[in-house]
Structure formats: C-alpha cells, structure tokens
Amino acid sequence: MSRTPHLTARLQGLGTTIFTEMSQLAMAHDAVNLGQGFPDFDAPPAVADAAVAAIREGHNQYAPGTGLPSLRAAVAVHQRRFHGLDFDPDTEVTVTAGATEAMCATLQALLDTGDEVVLFEPFYDAYRAGARMAGATERVVTLRPPDFSFAAADLEAAVTPRTRLVVLNTPHNPTGKVFTRTELEAVARVCVDHDLVAVTDEVYGHLVYDGEHVALAGLPGMRERTVTISSAAKTFSVTGWKIGWVCAPPALTDAVRAAKQWMTFTNGTPFQHAIVVALGLPEEFFAELRAGYRARRDRLHAGLHALGFAAFPAAGAYYVTADVRPAGHDDDMAFCRMLPGEVGVAAVPCSAFYTDPARGRGLVRFAFCKTDALIDEGLTRLGRLA
Ligand code: PMP
Ligand code: GLN
C-alpha cells in the first residue's frame, strides 16, 4: 500500500485493545482470567430459555434496523421503572450491537474532523478510538485516587470552543467509581453552560453496591442534550450477545440511527427477543444480582489487600483497581504481561486507559465477575508472587 488510509492514521498509536492482548496471554498460559470483564457463569435460566425459544419459534431473520418494537418498548419501560426517565420507544430508543456500537455510532454521528470530546481518564478504551475515527481528538479530566474524584475546575478547563461532547461512564470502568449526584451536577452545569451534548455509558447501572446510580439525563437541562447508552451484557451476563441500546431525544436519535444503519444495520434477532424477557425480570433478580456482586467485590478486595496491594474502594461495576507498587511492582504494564506466564493469572494494566500512561502507572484492574472458586484460585496464585 503506497499511502496510509486516513482511518489507519487516525488510530495510529492506539494499538490492539488491551483486553485482547491480556485474554490472549491468559489463553496461552491457561491463566485464571481476572482481566477481560466477562462472567464465568451463565445468563439467568429464563433469559437463556427465551433465546432458545426465539430461535425455535423462527425469529432468525433481520430485526428492524432500529430494533424490535417489543425491545424498544421494554427499554422505555425499564428506563421509567429504574430511572424515572420517559423515552418514546419509536423516536427515542434504538437497539444496537452492544454498547460498543451504540458508542461508536454516536461518536461518528456527532463529531466532525477537528472537534474535541471531553473524556474522564482512566477511560474505557473505545471512547478515544471512536472519537479518533471521527477525526476528533480527546481532552481529558483526570480522576484522582483514592476516590477517583475530579476538580470541577479541571472539567471547565478541558472545554474549548471546539468541544462538542462530554463522555461519561458511571458506574465506571476500570475504577468501580460511581459518580455522585454532586459530581454529575457539575458535569451538567458545564454541558448546559457550553451547549454540549453528554454521552453516558451506563452499562453497569444495575451494579452499584454503595451509593446510587444517577442517570445524567434526569438532571435539569440534560434530558434534551444527553445520549444515554446501556446494554444487556453486564446485567444479564451475556457479553457475547451484543445487544445494547441508545436513548436520546429525537434529533439526536435520528443522527445516531443514520450512522448505525451503515454499521451493523441490525443484529441478534433471537437475543433481542430474550432481552425483552430479561428487562422485565422482577425486582428480586436485580437485588440478588447486586448482592452476589457485592459479596464477590468484598472477597476480591479483601484478598488483594491481604496480598499487599493497595486496592481502591469499588462502589460499582465489577472491577477492583489496585496499586501494585506497595507490593514491589512498579510498572503495571510489565506486571500484567508477566503475570499469566509467571503465576497463571490475567489482569488489566490501567495505564492503557490514560492519555499519558505515566498517570496510570502501577494501577491494575482485577475483575470480580467470576465465581468464588475462580476468584479464590486467582488470589491463591497471586500469593505465589515473589
Ligand atoms: N462500556 C463499558 C464501560 C464496558 O465496560 C463495556 C464492556 N463490556 C462496554 C461498554 C461494551 O459493552 P457491549 O458488550 O454491550 O458492547
Ligand atoms: N468491557 C469488558 C472489559 O472492560 C470487555 C471489553 C472488551 O473486550 N472490549 O473488560
């Protein structure tokens, strides 16, 4: 090839996603995978049964490009039930191939060459890549340990005349932080003052152990300027199904749909049917999910602490981030590349989630979306570290 295609150039330096690299190492060494965030247990039986039934009943052809009407309706009901938000299923809800496509379509739809997007770092890697694909660049607000809070002045300073979007992920991957109402009010103020659109990634919205999940779209002035993204992957332990959704006012929805239709057009018809059932599960399901994860969070957090890692509190999502430097390892990337081969455990180096890797140095993410037995085995193996 005599020239570098512009997309390749835009993605230059971002490399292969760290999740792929760490899972490949995990497989190569048959390691306990506390890296990539996927559960090692199955979907609720009623949800799995619904997918099987949908296949057997012949729901195997293209769903409408915007998603099955029944799923769009179920998403709207779910948003009202859990967040008190009203969305019109026809004009404000779109089904996507996971939150990943939802985010990518949103960034392609709303960003232009030369635009800027504000990200909180550490950030989920797809935000920066998606923004770069659109020709935009990121400006970051750094979340500082131990609580990964931010200074409102830093947020204000990240906004320039080129800023179009603020992307916010709560509960947060990789830190487990749950943004407080006060912090979200600060985000809302900046969006309103500078006429910015907020894009929220709420895939861990049901996984909150301390505090509460607040939807940014519910704050004053935000309903009309927020694109709310979520997915079935985490809540229903179906990361391989790739069913997500976007809720946004009609004009923003139109823009996202215009981009999305040229990406996957549609996906996962039988899984869309099953997620209708999933979203309607009773209160006890969501309470038990939270309680189970809270116990796993405590187990992993205590175990890491006992090994001499400085584990930060995780109020939500399914990760504990720890500083491994107190245990004598000063480079998170080298540590995570060594770990699968040396002791048979995989984790994720958080410096991959910072624009300047030095800011994340020493921070390692461990996933607890795993059975107790696997968490214990991982901790036992980590205990063999010299
Ligand atoms: N956003 C965040 C913050 C995530 O952790 C993940 C990973 N599962 C995704 C988006 C992707 O979600 P999906 O599998 O629905 O594409
Ligand atoms: N969201 C999951 C994680 O953070 C998996 C991401 C991926 O494989 N792209 O680990």
Side-chain angles (χ1 to χ4, degrees):
M1 213 162 19
S2 60
R3 65 176 190 101
T4 305
H6 76 276
L7 202 53
T8 309
R10 287 173 179 183
L11 294 173
Q12 198 94 49
L14 300 190
T16 303
T17 142
I18 197 69
F19 306 112
T20 301
E21 182 184 344
M22 291 301 142
S23 276
Q24 280 173 349
L25 280 176
M27 278 187 279
H29 296 283
D30 199 21
V32 169
N33 194 346
L34 304 183
Q36 198 177 19
F38 61 88
D40 68 333
F41 40 85
D42 273 330
V47 177
D49 289 349
V52 173
I55 290 172
R56 292 278 178 225
E57 284 159 16
H59 296 299
N60 299 304
Q61 311 310 329
Y62 298 129
T66 55
L68 285 181
S70 57
L71 180 52
R72 287 189 277 102
V75 167
V77 168
H78 190 265
Q79 288 285 18
R80 158 129 293 282
R81 177 178 164 201
F82 288 97
H83 307 305
L85 292 169
D86 284 308
F87 291 101
D88 180 321
D90 292 329
T91 58
E92 298 188 308
V93 180
T94 308
V95 177
T96 55
T100 307
E101 188 195 37
M103 181 60 68
C104 194
T106 301
L107 296 174
Q108 306 321 305
L110 303 182
L111 290 171
D112 254 322
T113 309
D115 284 351
E116 290 178 0
V117 52
V118 175
L119 304 180
F120 290 87
E121 72 172 8
F123 46 76
Y124 185 60
D125 58 356
Y127 309 154
R128 175 172 56 178
R132 295 269 187 97
M133 284 168 75
T137 50
E138 68 282 354
R139 290 183 65 100
V140 295
V141 177
T142 304
L143 302 169
R144 312 269 177 196
D147 59 352
F148 293 99
S149 57
F150 64 96
D154 285 354
L155 175 57
E156 189 66 49
V159 176
T160 78
R162 291 175 178 272
T163 311
R164 295 288 168 270
L165 306 178
V166 176
V167 177
L168 184 109
N169 169 218
T170 185
H172 185 251
N173 179 4
T175 65
K177 171 191 176 65
V178 175
F179 282 72
T180 64
R181 189 175 287 277
T182 309
E183 287 174 325
L184 293 173
E185 282 166 357
V187 174
R189 205 171 312 119
V190 166
C191 290
V192 170
D193 286 354
H194 297 277
D195 194 21
L196 307 177
V197 169
V199 182
T200 67
D201 178 341
E202 305 184 25
V203 298
Y204 300 101
H206 280 292
L207 305 183
V208 175
Y209 321 112
D210 306 309
E212 55 164 348
H213 174 62
V214 178
L216 187 64
L219 298 191
M222 294 309 290
R223 174 66 175 79
E224 63 270 29
R225 61 176 67 251
T226 303
V227 176
T228 302
I229 291 173
S230 194
S231 117
K234 317 295 172 180
T235 313
F236 305 111
S237 306
V238 290
T239 61
W241 286 12
K242 300 302 289 188
I243 302 297
W245 48 88
V246 181
C247 299
L252 291 172
T253 290
D254 285 349
V256 173
R257 286 177 176 180
K260 182 258 178 319
Q261 69 176 336
W262 304 116
M263 295 181 171
T264 55
F265 175 58
T266 182
N267 77 300
T269 304
F271 301 129
Q272 292 196 27
H273 281 274
I275 299 305
V276 174
V277 173
L279 289 173
L281 285 173
E283 216 55 50
E284 302 83 73
F285 165 77
F286 298 95
E288 279 169 25
L289 179 78
R290 254 192 318 275
Y293 270 127
R294 180 182 289 114
R296 289 187 204 105
R297 187 262 324 246
D298 292 345
R299 194 178 197 93
L300 179 63
H301 191 276
L304 291 172
H305 186 74
L307 291 171
F309 300 130
F312 297 109
Y318 49 43
Y319 310 102
V320 171
T321 290
D323 192 335
V324 298
R325 286 171 295 188
H329 310 276
D330 48 61
D331 181 336
D332 59 299
M333 192 62 81
F335 177 79
C336 289
R337 286 182 171 147
M338 166 277 287
L339 212 51
E342 288 295 313
V343 296
V345 175
V348 172
C350 290
S351 57
F353 306 135
Y354 288 80
T355 45
D356 176 359
R359 281 197 286 266
R361 209 166 132 88
L363 300 186
V364 174
R365 189 195 82 173
F366 297 88
F368 58 84
C369 45
K370 310 290 171 180
T371 50
D372 286 354
L374 205 78
I375 293 174
D376 289 349
E377 178 60 25
L379 289 168
T380 301
R381 292 183 183 195
L382 285 171
R384 294 184 196 133
L385 273 172

